Amino acid sequence: MTDDAPAPLALLDRDHLKAMTGGDTSLAIEVIDIFRQQAEIWSRLLDPRADASQWADAAHTLKGASLGIGAVRLAAVCGRAERLGRAETPPSVTAAAVMLGDIKDTLGDTLEAVAKAAYELASSGVTRAS
C-alpha cells in the first residue's frame, strides 16, 4: 500500500503568520486576537437552517480571516462551504449541517493552535531565570 494522499493542510502555518506580521511578535499576537474575535462573531452565523447565503457569507469571512493568519486547513473547509452555499442549488439542511459541523470542528482545532501560538509568542519575550 502506498501513501499517495496529500499531507493534511496546516492548522496554523507559523511561517505565514511571521511573514504577514514582519516578524513582529506584538503584531502577531494582535492579529491572532483579531482572528479570535472574527471567529467568535462569524461562527454564530453558521446555522444550516438559515438561508445558504448567510452561512456562505460567514464562511467567506472566516476563510479570509484564516488566510490572513495562515490557518490554511480552516480556509479550505470554509472555501468549500462558501462554494456550496453559493451554488445554484444549495445543499440540503442535512448536508449543510454536516459541512458546517466540519467548519466548527476545524475552527475549534484552529483556535487551540492559535491559543498555543499566542502563548508561545507572549512567552518568548519573557526573560527566564535559570
Side-chain angles (χ1 to χ4, degrees), residues 40-117:
E40 182 181 337
I41 292 166
W42 291 98
S43 65
R44 292 184 210 144
L45 299 176
L46 298 174
D47 180 354
R49 295 173 306 251
D51 186 83
S53 66
Q54 174 183 301
W55 54 257
D57 287 347
H60 172 79
T61 302
L62 282 171
K63 178 181 75 175
S66 300
L67 289 172
I69 65 164
V72 290
R73 188 180 312 174
L74 180 58
V77 174
C78 288
R80 284 193 297 274
E82 179 187 7
R83 284 188 301 279
L84 290 173
R86 298 194 194 292
E88 191 172 313
T89 304
S92 68
V93 172
T94 302
V98 170
M99 180 180 42
L100 298 177
D102 288 345
I103 290 176
K104 289 179 181 182
D105 290 345
T106 306
L107 177 59
D109 293 342
T110 302
L111 288 171
E112 285 182 31
V114 299
K116 181 179 178 183

Side-chain angles (χ1 to χ4, degrees), residues 6-7 11 15 29 36 45 51-52 56 64 84 91 94 108 124:
L11 281 173
D15 291 334
I29 292 169
R36 287 172 162 163
L45 299 176
D51 186 83
L84 290 173
T94 302
S124 68

